[in-house]
Amino acid sequence: MTKRLNELVARAEMLNQDYTLPEVRRWKATTGGLAIGYMPVYVPRELLHSQGVLPVGIVGAGADLEIIRGDAYYQSYICHLPRSTIELGLNGSLDCLDGMLFPATCDVIRNLSGMWKMLFPEKLSRYVDVPQNFDPETGGAFFRAELEELCADLTVRGARAFEPDALRKSIETYNENRKLVRSLYEQRLAEPWRLPTHELYLFLRAGLAMPVEEHTAMLGEYLEETTLCTDRVPMDQARVVLTGSFCEQPPIGLIKTLERSGCYIVDDDFIQIHRWIRSDIPSDGDPFDNLVQAFLADSIASPIRYIDEDVKGQELCDRVRHCEAEGVLFCAPSFCDPALLDQPMAVAAVEAAEIPWTSFKFSENSGQFQVIREQAGTFADSIKLWSGR
Amino acid sequence: MGNSPEGTAVQKDRSQERQKQMIADHFTRLSKAEDLGEKCVYTFVPGNLTELLLSFDIAPVLPEINALQSGMRGKSREYISTAEKLGHSEDVCTYVKCDLGMMKSGNVGPTGERLPPPGLLLLSYTGCFTFLKWFEILKQEYDCPVSMLHVPYQGEGRVTDSMREYVVKQLKEKVIPSLEKLTGKAYDEDRLKELLARSARAEDDLVHVLESAKHRPSPIDAYFGGVYYIGPIFTAFRGTEDAVEYYKELRSEVDERVRLGKGPVTPDGELDKERFRIVVEGPPNWTHFREFWKMFSDEGAVVVASTYTKVGGVYDYGFRHDPDRPLESLAEYCMGCYTNLNIPSRIQMLNRYMKEYEADGLLINSVKSCNSFSAGQLLILREVEKATGRPGGFVESDLVDPRYFSAANIKNRLESYFQMIEQKRGGGA
């Protein structure tokens, strides 16, 4: 590991551990702009950026924050993410945010949008509905109207008014960021030992709470440094695709555990907003329409997105083939409706394609990984020893 | 919703007998549908488009109703277990698992007759994310098309023009063509208008019945009794002459109870003394419905208003299906269902019920299966307590998974809750 790589990793680690969003506070102090939080999975960050707003991804608090008040708002059978988000809100960690956006991910995040209105009435709190009808004239028109309302709300709060050229530039800025994320994923696919997932994950997550331009520079440097690393050598590990963690994120210890148990994670759905739109969004023409069209026609297949004509689980099987993976890890958060209701259909698809799989659940504050380590280790061993691949 | 819970005889009014017959006839119709070439569409209660389906002579099948009926009949444990053995998580909605388990066990409905397979899955995605996954799962099981109607959530507490246009457009471009294709019939707007006019008449009477609980004593229980009252209008009968007649009859029975100063009919007969007037938030537990009800009636507690009875449509705020704006009116109906309202609107509704129905307190029955209802209920409880100064109570159970009904625990909590109300009254005096 190079000295610079060490420094980069340490910085990403620090940014992930500091719940008080230091980069956001610094940005606000420098620019005086608005910072708006957003929950998983998808919001069009380009639009906020074009209005001079810093979009800040909030994906809970991970394993280390003690949840005291957050638990008082949720029954035991609700996932962990909203508890830690409320905890962060109530303990002042999110004070630097001028508002929060709650996309149409599930009923829990949807209802949290209304809870936020009650708990933080002085802040902007908005539910961002996304269409499940993908016809540009129908779902597209609705989505555009939703986003126009969002623009207007931001302007009322002090953001710049919408301006097409600004959006064009923001689209290009995010295209650059997405391109680098894709490069990192391709690099990991080719040489997973050079970009261990527990490390790549830190960089993806750190990017949620810093300006996109800085994140892009950080990713570029990280990609470069990993190619200089000569002490990272391939090991006899099973190549797996991990799926189910698109909203609440597993603790970093769990990702390390999976890798140490003999798995190379060659594709995943962590911090999915970086890859929700598959390719570059055109910046010419009507940029608003381009943004809407990208959501309608170029989004990934996700359990939170209705699949009309396509076959459930097909995209997962395609990803497995593309990655030359040897198996699938279904790794969903406990009580996550979208992931867990989707899982049996995805399992049926991978079984039909004769792809080995195993499944387990986690919560962002899980602290014991021994059972999962044994399960994943056995799974990796079984692939290596018996699958004949 | 129309049958006696857990098979125990309860005192029945004429309207109840009528409703029982309507439901039995409907299931018989469904059992013969395949042989008679009748088209069936599976769809959901919130945001149901019953009048539109009936205008095409389509018989609606409502999987949630089948699931709750299975719960009442003691079948749900076995069905849920079947689904879990097939890989469905213990964490997710038990309606889905109960429905899937029933399907895997031969698709025999609540009356013991086989349900027909769907000709179409009409996915009215209203107020509940799970609906989307539910029909994706059923799509794997049935060789039939799915027609998706995405109903936007009232995140900002209002319906905008673009939301209405979005739903109407989907009705015109997706839903109606799929029904035309299924039946080979053309969309008949005049027929739809006739059905909607009948809906509005029934809705007037339903509101009259529900609001009768403002009287002291309340002539109805608006939760346990309420689920019977909403049965026809929430399911396959909205827009029919049967529904109009049912609600007319129910209204006159309730008016008579008011005139005589009678309390509601409970599992043990008429309630003599109304001791507590309660507002309830959340769906009931179906596996121990009667036992749960008795925990209230034994204490003289009457539910005077409930949010569950608004899950298939909120009519007491003035909404009526409007024959002059058929599709717009259907769109507004869908968007106005209770679980499609944001948390501040739900709190507002509960505060209003507490005041208008002169309730002693708010009780939340939080069901594990339903995040749409349950996520946020603890905040709702606090906010209503804060706004009204009346005590809140909280119990947990499930819709149809009997493993999550702990009778002793719930009874204990309810008794403590009623004692607390009593003490507060004493303190106030």
Side-chain angles (χ1 to χ4, degrees), chain B residues 160-194:
Chain B
T160 63
D161 289 344
S162 82
M163 287 160 74
R164 190 182 302 103
E165 281 159 22
Y166 177 44
V167 179
V168 169
K169 220 156 186 240
Q170 291 177 82
L171 289 172
K172 284 181 180 166
E173 292 171 3
K174 283 266 184 185
V175 176
I176 290 174
S178 69
L179 299 177
E180 287 180 325
K181 192 172 173 196
L182 174 70
T183 59
K185 293 177 182 171
Y187 168 56
D188 182 347
E189 191 155 283
D190 288 337
R191 192 158 177 218
L192 177 62
K193 285 179 177 180
E194 285 168 23

Short mmCIF file of all heavy atoms in Angstrom, two decimals, chain B residues 160-194:
data_model
loop_
_atom_site.label_atom_id
_atom_site.label_comp_id
_atom_site.label_asym_id
_atom_site.label_seq_id
_atom_site.Cartn_x
_atom_site.Cartn_y
_atom_site.Cartn_z
N THR B 160 -52.08 17.65 -6.26
CA THR B 160 -51.82 18.71 -7.24
C THR B 160 -52.46 18.32 -8.58
O THR B 160 -52.83 17.16 -8.80
CB THR B 160 -50.31 18.90 -7.46
OG1 THR B 160 -49.79 17.69 -8.01
CG2 THR B 160 -49.59 19.23 -6.16
N ASP B 161 -52.55 19.31 -9.47
CA ASP B 161 -53.10 19.03 -10.80
C ASP B 161 -52.29 17.96 -11.51
O ASP B 161 -52.83 17.09 -12.18
CB ASP B 161 -53.11 20.31 -11.65
CG ASP B 161 -54.17 21.29 -11.16
OD1 ASP B 161 -55.05 20.85 -10.40
OD2 ASP B 161 -54.09 22.48 -11.52
N SER B 162 -50.96 18.05 -11.38
CA SER B 162 -50.14 17.08 -12.12
C SER B 162 -50.32 15.66 -11.57
O SER B 162 -50.26 14.69 -12.32
CB SER B 162 -48.66 17.49 -12.10
OG SER B 162 -48.04 17.10 -10.92
N MET B 163 -50.56 15.55 -10.27
CA MET B 163 -50.82 14.22 -9.70
C MET B 163 -52.12 13.65 -10.28
O MET B 163 -52.19 12.49 -10.67
CB MET B 163 -50.93 14.31 -8.17
CG MET B 163 -49.60 14.56 -7.47
SD MET B 163 -49.79 15.23 -5.78
CE MET B 163 -50.35 13.80 -4.88
N ARG B 164 -53.15 14.52 -10.33
CA ARG B 164 -54.45 14.07 -10.85
C ARG B 164 -54.32 13.68 -12.32
O ARG B 164 -54.79 12.62 -12.74
CB ARG B 164 -55.49 15.16 -10.66
CG ARG B 164 -56.92 14.72 -10.95
CD ARG B 164 -57.92 15.84 -10.82
NE ARG B 164 -57.91 16.45 -9.50
CZ ARG B 164 -57.36 17.63 -9.21
NH1 ARG B 164 -56.79 18.36 -10.16
NH2 ARG B 164 -57.38 18.12 -7.98
N GLU B 165 -53.65 14.53 -13.07
CA GLU B 165 -53.49 14.25 -14.51
C GLU B 165 -52.72 12.95 -14.73
O GLU B 165 -53.02 12.17 -15.65
CB GLU B 165 -52.73 15.40 -15.18
CG GLU B 165 -53.60 16.61 -15.47
CD GLU B 165 -52.79 17.89 -15.64
OE1 GLU B 165 -51.59 17.80 -15.96
OE2 GLU B 165 -53.36 18.98 -15.44
N TYR B 166 -51.71 12.72 -13.90
CA TYR B 166 -50.91 11.50 -14.00
C TYR B 166 -51.78 10.25 -13.84
O TYR B 166 -51.70 9.31 -14.63
CB TYR B 166 -49.82 11.57 -12.93
CG TYR B 166 -48.90 10.38 -12.81
CD1 TYR B 166 -48.34 9.75 -13.92
CD2 TYR B 166 -48.53 9.89 -11.55
CE1 TYR B 166 -47.47 8.67 -13.78
CE2 TYR B 166 -47.66 8.83 -11.41
CZ TYR B 166 -47.13 8.22 -12.53
OH TYR B 166 -46.27 7.15 -12.38
N VAL B 167 -52.64 10.28 -12.81
CA VAL B 167 -53.48 9.10 -12.57
C VAL B 167 -54.51 8.95 -13.69
O VAL B 167 -54.72 7.85 -14.21
CB VAL B 167 -54.17 9.19 -11.18
CG1 VAL B 167 -55.07 7.97 -10.96
CG2 VAL B 167 -53.13 9.27 -10.07
N VAL B 168 -55.13 10.06 -14.08
CA VAL B 168 -56.15 9.98 -15.14
C VAL B 168 -55.54 9.45 -16.43
O VAL B 168 -56.11 8.60 -17.12
CB VAL B 168 -56.81 11.37 -15.35
CG1 VAL B 168 -57.67 11.38 -16.61
CG2 VAL B 168 -57.66 11.75 -14.14
N LYS B 169 -54.34 9.93 -16.72
CA LYS B 169 -53.65 9.49 -17.94
C LYS B 169 -53.39 7.97 -17.91
O LYS B 169 -53.57 7.27 -18.91
CB LYS B 169 -52.32 10.23 -18.07
CG LYS B 169 -52.01 10.65 -19.47
CD LYS B 169 -51.07 11.82 -19.51
CE LYS B 169 -50.96 12.21 -20.96
NZ LYS B 169 -49.74 12.18 -21.57
N GLN B 170 -52.98 7.51 -16.74
CA GLN B 170 -52.74 6.07 -16.62
C GLN B 170 -54.04 5.28 -16.78
O GLN B 170 -54.06 4.21 -17.38
CB GLN B 170 -52.12 5.74 -15.27
CG GLN B 170 -50.70 6.25 -15.09
CD GLN B 170 -50.21 5.94 -13.69
OE1 GLN B 170 -49.77 4.83 -13.42
NE2 GLN B 170 -50.30 6.90 -12.81
N LEU B 171 -55.12 5.84 -16.21
CA LEU B 171 -56.41 5.17 -16.35
C LEU B 171 -56.77 5.06 -17.84
O LEU B 171 -57.21 4.00 -18.31
CB LEU B 171 -57.51 5.93 -15.60
CG LEU B 171 -57.46 5.88 -14.07
CD1 LEU B 171 -58.48 6.84 -13.46
CD2 LEU B 171 -57.71 4.46 -13.56
N LYS B 172 -56.58 6.17 -18.54
CA LYS B 172 -56.96 6.19 -19.96
C LYS B 172 -56.05 5.32 -20.82
O LYS B 172 -56.51 4.64 -21.73
CB LYS B 172 -56.91 7.63 -20.49
CG LYS B 172 -58.08 8.49 -20.05
CD LYS B 172 -57.95 9.88 -20.65
CE LYS B 172 -59.09 10.77 -20.23
NZ LYS B 172 -58.84 12.19 -20.51
N GLU B 173 -54.75 5.42 -20.53
CA GLU B 173 -53.80 4.80 -21.46
C GLU B 173 -53.35 3.40 -21.07
O GLU B 173 -52.85 2.66 -21.90
CB GLU B 173 -52.56 5.71 -21.59
CG GLU B 173 -52.90 7.01 -22.30
CD GLU B 173 -51.77 8.02 -22.24
OE1 GLU B 173 -50.70 7.69 -21.70
OE2 GLU B 173 -51.97 9.14 -22.74
N LYS B 174 -53.51 3.06 -19.80
CA LYS B 174 -53.04 1.74 -19.35
C LYS B 174 -54.21 0.87 -18.87
O LYS B 174 -54.43 -0.22 -19.37
CB LYS B 174 -52.04 1.91 -18.20
CG LYS B 174 -50.67 2.34 -18.61
CD LYS B 174 -49.79 1.12 -18.80
CE LYS B 174 -48.37 1.54 -19.11
NZ LYS B 174 -47.52 0.41 -19.41
N VAL B 175 -54.92 1.40 -17.86
CA VAL B 175 -55.88 0.55 -17.18
C VAL B 175 -57.07 0.23 -18.09
O VAL B 175 -57.41 -0.96 -18.28
CB VAL B 175 -56.35 1.21 -15.86
CG1 VAL B 175 -57.43 0.36 -15.20
CG2 VAL B 175 -55.17 1.39 -14.92
N ILE B 176 -57.69 1.25 -18.64
CA ILE B 176 -58.89 1.00 -19.46
C ILE B 176 -58.55 0.12 -20.67
O ILE B 176 -59.26 -0.87 -20.93
CB ILE B 176 -59.58 2.33 -19.85
CG1 ILE B 176 -60.22 2.93 -18.58
CG2 ILE B 176 -60.62 2.14 -20.95
CD1 ILE B 176 -60.82 4.31 -18.76
N PRO B 177 -57.47 0.40 -21.41
CA PRO B 177 -57.14 -0.51 -22.52
C PRO B 177 -56.91 -1.95 -22.06
O PRO B 177 -57.29 -2.89 -22.77
CB PRO B 177 -55.87 0.10 -23.10
CG PRO B 177 -55.94 1.55 -22.76
CD PRO B 177 -56.60 1.61 -21.42
N SER B 178 -56.33 -2.13 -20.88
CA SER B 178 -56.10 -3.51 -20.42
C SER B 178 -57.42 -4.21 -20.10
O SER B 178 -57.56 -5.42 -20.31
CB SER B 178 -55.15 -3.54 -19.23
OG SER B 178 -55.77 -2.98 -18.09
N LEU B 179 -58.40 -3.42 -19.59
CA LEU B 179 -59.71 -4.02 -19.31
C LEU B 179 -60.47 -4.30 -20.61
O LEU B 179 -61.19 -5.31 -20.72
CB LEU B 179 -60.53 -3.09 -18.41
CG LEU B 179 -59.91 -2.78 -17.03
CD1 LEU B 179 -60.77 -1.79 -16.26
CD2 LEU B 179 -59.71 -4.04 -16.21
N GLU B 180 -60.30 -3.41 -21.57
CA GLU B 180 -60.94 -3.64 -22.89
C GLU B 180 -60.37 -4.90 -23.54
O GLU B 180 -61.10 -5.71 -24.11
CB GLU B 180 -60.70 -2.42 -23.80
CG GLU B 180 -61.53 -1.22 -23.38
CD GLU B 180 -61.32 0.01 -24.27
OE1 GLU B 180 -60.19 0.22 -24.75
OE2 GLU B 180 -62.29 0.77 -24.46
N LYS B 181 -59.07 -5.04 -23.39
CA LYS B 181 -58.42 -6.21 -24.00
C LYS B 181 -58.88 -7.50 -23.31
O LYS B 181 -59.16 -8.51 -23.97
CB LYS B 181 -56.90 -6.06 -23.88
CG LYS B 181 -56.13 -7.05 -24.71
CD LYS B 181 -54.66 -6.74 -24.69
CE LYS B 181 -53.92 -7.87 -25.41
NZ LYS B 181 -52.51 -7.86 -25.13
N LEU B 182 -58.99 -7.43 -22.01
CA LEU B 182 -59.40 -8.62 -21.25
C LEU B 182 -60.81 -9.06 -21.60
O LEU B 182 -61.09 -10.25 -21.76
CB LEU B 182 -59.30 -8.33 -19.74
CG LEU B 182 -59.81 -9.41 -18.80
CD1 LEU B 182 -58.88 -10.63 -18.82
CD2 LEU B 182 -59.92 -8.88 -17.36
N THR B 183 -61.71 -8.07 -21.71
CA THR B 183 -63.13 -8.41 -21.87
C THR B 183 -63.62 -8.38 -23.32
O THR B 183 -64.68 -8.90 -23.63
CB THR B 183 -64.01 -7.42 -21.07
OG1 THR B 183 -63.74 -6.09 -21.56
CG2 THR B 183 -63.70 -7.48 -19.60
N GLY B 184 -62.87 -7.71 -24.17
CA GLY B 184 -63.34 -7.54 -25.54
C GLY B 184 -64.46 -6.52 -25.64
O GLY B 184 -65.16 -6.44 -26.64
N LYS B 185 -64.66 -5.74 -24.56
CA LYS B 185 -65.73 -4.73 -24.54
C LYS B 185 -65.12 -3.34 -24.59
O LYS B 185 -64.01 -3.14 -24.08
CB LYS B 185 -66.56 -4.84 -23.26
CG LYS B 185 -67.36 -6.10 -23.15
CD LYS B 185 -68.08 -6.15 -21.83
CE LYS B 185 -68.86 -7.46 -21.72
NZ LYS B 185 -69.42 -7.68 -20.40
N ALA B 186 -65.87 -2.41 -25.15
CA ALA B 186 -65.38 -1.03 -25.19
C ALA B 186 -65.74 -0.33 -23.88
O ALA B 186 -66.74 -0.67 -23.23
CB ALA B 186 -66.02 -0.29 -26.36
N TYR B 187 -64.93 0.61 -23.51
CA TYR B 187 -65.17 1.42 -22.31
C TYR B 187 -66.49 2.17 -22.47
O TYR B 187 -66.71 2.84 -23.47
CB TYR B 187 -64.00 2.39 -22.14
CG TYR B 187 -64.20 3.49 -21.13
CD1 TYR B 187 -64.53 3.21 -19.81
CD2 TYR B 187 -64.03 4.82 -21.51
CE1 TYR B 187 -64.70 4.24 -18.88
CE2 TYR B 187 -64.19 5.86 -20.58
CZ TYR B 187 -64.53 5.55 -19.28
OH TYR B 187 -64.69 6.57 -18.37
N ASP B 188 -67.35 2.05 -21.48
CA ASP B 188 -68.67 2.65 -21.55
C ASP B 188 -68.78 3.69 -20.42
O ASP B 188 -69.09 3.34 -19.27
CB ASP B 188 -69.73 1.55 -21.40
CG ASP B 188 -71.15 2.08 -21.50
OD1 ASP B 188 -71.33 3.32 -21.43
OD2 ASP B 188 -72.08 1.25 -21.63
N GLU B 189 -68.54 4.93 -20.75
CA GLU B 189 -68.48 5.95 -19.70
C GLU B 189 -69.85 6.20 -19.06
O GLU B 189 -69.93 6.49 -17.88
CB GLU B 189 -67.90 7.25 -20.26
CG GLU B 189 -67.58 8.23 -19.14
CD GLU B 189 -66.50 9.23 -19.50
OE1 GLU B 189 -65.32 8.84 -19.50
OE2 GLU B 189 -66.85 10.38 -19.80
N ASP B 190 -70.89 6.06 -19.87
CA ASP B 190 -72.23 6.28 -19.30
C ASP B 190 -72.51 5.25 -18.21
O ASP B 190 -73.10 5.55 -17.17
CB ASP B 190 -73.30 6.18 -20.40
CG ASP B 190 -73.24 7.40 -21.32
OD1 ASP B 190 -72.73 8.44 -20.85
OD2 ASP B 190 -73.66 7.29 -22.48
N ARG B 191 -72.09 4.04 -18.47
CA ARG B 191 -72.31 2.99 -17.47
C ARG B 191 -71.49 3.27 -16.21
O ARG B 191 -71.98 3.10 -15.09
CB ARG B 191 -71.92 1.64 -18.08
CG ARG B 191 -72.39 0.51 -17.23
CD ARG B 191 -72.52 -0.80 -17.95
NE ARG B 191 -72.91 -1.79 -16.98
CZ ARG B 191 -72.47 -3.03 -16.97
NH1 ARG B 191 -71.64 -3.43 -17.92
NH2 ARG B 191 -72.85 -3.87 -16.04
N LEU B 192 -70.28 3.71 -16.42
CA LEU B 192 -69.43 4.06 -15.28
C LEU B 192 -70.09 5.17 -14.45
O LEU B 192 -70.10 5.12 -13.22
CB LEU B 192 -68.05 4.50 -15.77
CG LEU B 192 -67.07 4.96 -14.69
CD1 LEU B 192 -66.76 3.84 -13.70
CD2 LEU B 192 -65.77 5.46 -15.32
N LYS B 193 -70.65 6.15 -15.15
CA LYS B 193 -71.30 7.27 -14.45
C LYS B 193 -72.47 6.78 -13.57
O LYS B 193 -72.66 7.24 -12.46
CB LYS B 193 -71.81 8.30 -15.45
CG LYS B 193 -70.70 9.14 -16.06
CD LYS B 193 -71.27 10.11 -17.07
CE LYS B 193 -70.18 11.01 -17.63
NZ LYS B 193 -70.70 11.97 -18.60
N GLU B 194 -73.23 5.84 -14.12
CA GLU B 194 -74.36 5.29 -13.34
C GLU B 194 -73.86 4.63 -12.06
O GLU B 194 -74.41 4.81 -10.97
CB GLU B 194 -75.11 4.23 -14.16
CG GLU B 194 -76.00 4.78 -15.25
CD GLU B 194 -76.47 3.67 -16.19
OE1 GLU B 194 -76.48 2.48 -15.78
OE2 GLU B 194 -76.79 3.99 -17.36
#
